[in-house]
Amino acid sequence: MILATLREGGPDGTLIVVNRAKTKAVRAEGIAITLQAALDTWGTAEPQLLALAEHLERDDCPDVFALDLSKLAAPLPRGFAFYDAACYPEHISIIRKARGATLPADFLEQPMMYQAVASPILSWCDPIKVADDVGYGVDLEAEIVVITGEVPSGTKANEAAGHIKLLGLLNDVSLRNIVAPELARGFGFLHSKSDKAMGPFVVTPDELGNLWNGSMFTGGRYLIGIRGDRLGELDPGKDVVFNYCDLIQHAAKTRILVPGTMIGAGTLANKDGKTGSGCIAEQRAREQLTRGEMCTGYLRYGDELYLEMFDLEGRSIFGPIRQKLAPLDKA
Amino acid sequence: MILATLREGGPDGTLIVVNRAKTKAVRAEGIAITLQAALDTWGTAEPQLLALAEHLERDDCPDVFALDLSKLAAPLPRGFAFYDAACYPEHISIIRKARGATLPADFLEQPMMYQAVASPILSWCDPIKVADDVGYGVDLEAEIVVITGEVPSGTKANEAAGHIKLLGLLNDVSLRNIVAPELARGFGFLHSKSDKAMGPFVVTPDELGNLWNGSMFTGGRYLIGIRGDRLGELDPGKDVVFNYCDLIQHAAKTRILVPGTMIGAGTLANKDGKTGSGCIAEQRAREQLTRGEMCTGYLRYGDELYLEMFDLEGRSIFGPIRQKLAPLDKA
């Protein structure tokens, strides 16, 4: 099942069910007004949404309409929780290596994870507005998140798979030049993790077929681009040291996760440097280590970024993220 | 105006308006179902809620009911965002001094602030459930938060006062024994900041009268207790180095704050050690520094904590927080 959110109604938009070809859709009214409302009542909402999706696929829905991507908000325009980890060691190790920093000794024993505010979440095509493009060093981060139902405190990884209700594409915008001084203050990321954006569609795990083993991807082709050039073409099933069930266990160690909690595995990175990078910082670190200088620049006002993941048949799973960097609106 | 949330309806409860004597209330139906919905439409909701509050005070509301504190949830049972700072230097400096650690060099120049997940928020009397009372070192933190409307990215402190819509009492539960190892990993608090709870009432700034200068308290009497004993009696207007407008500027430096964002000034602490502490960790640090050993124990299963703030006439502003520590429910 494929779900999305129209920019209409309240600040959390209006939930729609989308067909497999991603050409048409139907509002989920009568089942749940918003994706959060659906997640809050997933036990009853899911079968009704599935039935609606089947009607839509069979073309016997009265209120069907042609899908217009430009009218979509983020699937979850305001999330209650985002826990993001660093599960692809190449991403963090190569960046730290290039600046002479090290990883925590227990990096492979328990996930590096931080708690983050998940509101607002930009749509796939919303501009990223920052006050200072040059000073901040604006970067994208190619991620995939799972969205959970309610998860009890103390849930273990082997109990976690059933809590994964949906998956989605995420761009975790990072202001690179202020990461290191911020982390040095000891309280984690704040200013340096500014905006987040999601791909237009979230999908139930069954939509992924063989690409999903219940806790992690087994393959897939994740494309990353900046300024019209390819930055990376990565496999989310490779070179990853924790799966999403491990991450749910870690996030829920001392707390309940509310329905709609998003859990990220961090920026994709593969060991084979030839397939490129999931963010500019890693690309720059590779350049520093191989050529002695960083060539690829961070995003400047007007630059576009691109993220999209494809299955083995070349179909886009979550739709694209295409965002431009823009100055802040004048007050 | 005094607002609260009944445990009825959906997971975000039902908004009610409460009279000044805190003896009776009326549902805000027809204006806003939940506090979040009121904050999302504050420009139109606030005058209607104020009018309803006046009717309630004059006793000409048809659907008035007697207030039963036990039926109240947290005012905002699920918040989109919580940014918490450390504005009372005595809290953090004495704790670090006792363990031989230092403060960041720029501690007084810009707030120490972290972003946190604000869902769920426990009610004033919900038990705090943890898997391991002895191992975690469970502590309370006596805080006051402001709740904002939508705040544009880049808002300055001198533009921030109007964004403060409500104030509330907050207990930021902290698992002390896992704070230091967690911060040492570099990504900030996760497991160590487990639960949050709010006092039953949130109030508009005008309710505070002379106790509020638009950006900070000018006085007040904040009582903190554990196991039936007084732990502290603190003045939130004293010994504080940033105000809530400074904190809004800091939180909004690179991002929009959505309506309902909570901003905390951190654990209250006064320099005069005779008035006690706003958390157990500080009390223990004082004991270590003065007597050479830590005597006051962290919370154990069954122990109760108490927080409440009073105005100069001895009236409770936000109602009490009274919570007991309990083991996790068995699955």
Side-chain angles (χ1 to χ4, degrees), chain B residues 289-310:
Chain B
L289 293 170
T290 55
R291 301 192 227 167
E293 61 172 336
M294 295 178 171
C295 308
T296 306
Y298 288 119
L299 299 172
R300 301 287 301 271
Y301 292 144
D303 286 354
E304 192 183 64
L305 65 87
Y306 165 69
L307 301 173
E308 191 162 14
M309 183 175 161
F310 297 88

Side-chain angles (χ1 to χ4, degrees), chain A residues 91 140-143 170-172 174 176 193 267 278-279 307:
Chain A
H91 164 65
L140 72 168
E141 287 199 338
E143 299 204 20
L170 187 117
N171 176 20
D172 187 28
S174 298
R176 294 295 175 197
K193 294 285 186 180
T267 309
C279 67
L307 301 173

Side-chain angles (χ1 to χ4, degrees), chain A residues 214-263:
Chain A
S215 60
M216 184 40 76
F217 288 88
T218 59
R221 197 165 148 259
Y222 197 133
L223 300 190
I224 301 102
I226 51 169
R227 295 182 281 262
D229 293 328
R230 175 72 48 84
L231 185 67
E233 178 182 330
L234 303 177
D235 180 343
K238 277 174 65 178
D239 311 320
V240 61
V241 293
F242 297 104
N243 63 44
Y244 287 95
C245 289
D246 298 326
L247 299 184
I248 289 172
Q249 171 178 313
H250 195 72
K253 185 176 177 189
T254 61
R255 71 181 77 206
I256 288 167
L257 308 184
V258 298
T261 292
M262 301 195 303
I263 310 255

Side-chain angles (χ1 to χ4, degrees), chain A residues 61-129:
Chain A
C61 263
D63 299 319
V64 66
F65 57 90
L67 188 67
D68 176 353
L69 274 192
S70 73
K71 294 193 172 154
L72 297 183
L76 207 56
R78 300 192 295 187
F80 285 124
F82 179 45
Y83 299 96
D84 200 16
C87 297
Y88 296 89
E90 193 71 3
H91 164 65
I92 193 161
S93 66
I94 201 167
I95 289 174
R96 294 205 179 189
K97 195 170 167 189
R99 72 163 191 249
T102 56
L103 292 176
D106 61 354
F107 181 79
L108 297 175
E109 287 155 40
Q110 56 168 323
M112 292 285 287
M113 178 185 274
Y114 66 97
Q115 60 175 331
V117 166
S119 296
I121 301 177
L122 300 177
S123 87
W124 69 278
C125 63
D126 278 338
I128 297 162
K129 295 179 181 174

